[in-house]
Amino acid sequence: MSEPTTTRTRSVTGVVLAGGGSSRFGSTKAWHEVDGRPMIMRVLDEVKGVADEVIVSVRSPSDSIEGYACVADNFPGEGPLAGLHAALHTAN
């Protein structure tokens, strides 16, 4: 018996929160390499596999990642909720 196929009727936007200060980590966590690849690239590859649109919330525009829609916090220093707020305003 075959599995029923499902058709997605809505698009999915994936948001990656990458604007943290990494204060406890001691260095920029997003660019820390695991098995030779930066963590942020591993996460983006996974999200890109399940989302139609990927938005990366970064601390400042200078932290943008080439090839991805990046958005800086509208309320800097206010934590992950500020990053989510900025991403939601950018999403299609």
Side-chain angles (χ1 to χ4, degrees), residues 3-74:
E3 302 251 345
T5 58
T6 58
T7 304
R8 225 181 342 172
T9 57
R10 296 182 186 194
S11 65
V12 174
T13 299
V15 176
V16 176
L17 299 176
S22 302
S23 57
R24 294 183 307 268
F25 195 74
S27 63
T28 306
K29 190 179 346 179
W31 295 104
H32 179 77
E33 289 192 2
V34 175
D35 293 331
R37 291 197 60 224
M39 285 198 286
I40 187 70
M41 299 313 292
R42 291 174 168 277
V43 170
L44 289 171
D45 284 348
E46 293 298 320
V47 173
K48 163 168 82 169
V50 297
D52 302 304
E53 173 185 39
V54 179
I55 300 172
V56 184
S57 171
V58 296
R59 181 179 288 212
S60 71
S62 64
D63 296 328
S64 291
I65 300 169
E66 187 176 335
Y68 289 91
C70 295
V71 60
D73 292 355
N74 293 324

